[in-house]
Amino acid sequence: KAGVTQTPRYLIKTRGQQVTLSCSPISGHRSVSWYQQTPGQGLQFLFEYFSETQRNKGNFPGRFSGRQFSNSRSEMNVSTLELGDSALYLCASSLGVRGPYEQYFGPGTRLTVT
Amino acid sequence: AQTVTQSQPEMSVQEAETVTLSCTYDTSESDYYLFWYKQPPSRQMILVIRQEAYKQQNATENRFSVNFQKAAKSFSLKISDSQLGDAAMYFCAYRRGQRGTSYGKLTFGQGTILTVHP
């Protein structure tokens, strides 16, 4: 079974631009979560989607948004990019949102904002 | 809010030896899950082991085992017979249980870099 895939793997953007990252979960998984990883802040939860609905949101500004499609694929968007948005963005999928469901991570998208 | 603390920024071990990584957490919940994830230089997060809080028996996965002390809110990872491929950043993570409203949100510790010497 194919793992979680994320595209693109690397991205360089300029301050003020916007960016869209994509995540395809493992087949059959309906929950997708997003995390931001930086050297200073570590791993921080962005949001989680299940059945096309945002179920939970982390403490990030409104410039960070996301959505999930009917096939469970998810996208996250960051508008008006800032230098501090440079990070590794990780996507994780799981079968459901409750219970002992394990989360499986994708390889991440490395975003660099210049 | 739940917090997870890994007090060892770096650890090292000789190949074939045993090493223990520490993790403590703070929560008022009684139903939760704890995880250890491994992140090698490729940056791919890999689940190493999982522990349900309601289970008293410590989880074991081959060379990896945990020491789960619920009262002390401690969750350490023991790696036996260390191999060069074990070298990575290890993260301890917490997730609320079924009754929690945080769904699948994982709260991570700061991570411990493990170096394995040949």
Side-chain angles (χ1 to χ4, degrees), chain A residues 48 98-101 103 105, chain B residues 39 44 50 95 98 102 104:
Chain A
E48 177 179 29
R98 297 195 179 206
Y101 298 122
Q103 294 191 19
F105 284 80
Chain B
Q39 188 178 42
Q44 176 90 47
R50 180 190 79 195
R95 200 187 90 207
Q98 296 196 50
S102 295

